[in-house]
Amino acid sequence: MSSSTQADVIAPLYRINKFVVPASARADFVDLVEKTLAVIRSQEGYVKDLFLEQHAGPGKFNFCTMIEFASEEFAPKVAATIAGFDQSLGIDRATLMAKLGVETDSASYKSFQAA
C-alpha cells in the first residue's frame, strides 16, 4: 500500500490576467484576447477559461481572464506558443498594450491549501 503526499498530487495552475482598458481600445483589446484564447484552448493541458468584463463595483480593472491548466508543467509551453502567435501577427504584446493605453496585472495561482 502506498501513501500519497502533497508532492505526489498534480495541482491545477490558474493564470489570472487583469486589465484596465480604455473605452477607445475596447474593440482592439477584445479582438486580441479572443484570438489569444482560441490559441490557448487548443493547447495540451488546457482545462477551461473565463473572459470577464466588470459590470459593477469600484475596482479599477474592467476586464480579466482566468485560465485553468491541468498543472504548472504546461505554462512554459503555452507561453512559448503565445510568443510564436504574437510573432506571426507581427506584434509585441507589451508595446501594443502600451500603445492602446491598457494596464495589465498578471500572475499564476494554485489552489490554497491550509497547513
Side-chain angles (χ1 to χ4, degrees):
M1 179 191 272
S2 71
S3 64
S4 209
T5 65
Q6 289 245 332
D8 296 331
V9 177
I10 297 176
L13 179 75
Y14 302 91
R15 179 68 179 183
I16 299 176
N17 307 297
K18 299 176 283 188
F19 307 93
V20 177
V21 181
S24 61
R26 186 182 187 283
D28 290 336
F29 171 80
V30 168
D31 183 58
L32 180 61
V33 171
E34 289 176 340
K35 288 176 182 174
T36 302
L37 287 172
V39 171
I40 291 170
R41 289 174 183 139
S42 70
Q43 299 304 299
E44 180 183 8
Y46 166 83
V47 176
K48 64 183 174 183
D49 66 84
L50 293 170
F51 182 22
L52 306 170
E53 182 175 19
Q54 181 185 29
H55 74 93
K60 72 176 189 171
F61 297 103
N62 55 338
F63 283 93
C64 74
T65 60
M66 188 286 303
I67 305 159
E68 180 180 345
F69 296 101
S71 72
E72 67 183 304
E73 79 175 87
F74 297 103
K77 297 171 191 171
V78 173
T81 299
I82 294 302
F85 172 70
D86 287 354
Q87 186 176 18
S88 75
L89 294 179
I91 64 168
D92 176 282
R93 197 167 289 252
T95 301
L96 178 59
M97 292 297 111
K99 178 182 173 187
L100 294 174
V102 174
E103 181 184 338
T104 64
D105 179 63
S106 302
S108 295
Y109 296 83
K110 288 187 175 185
S111 181
F112 176 75
Q113 300 294 322

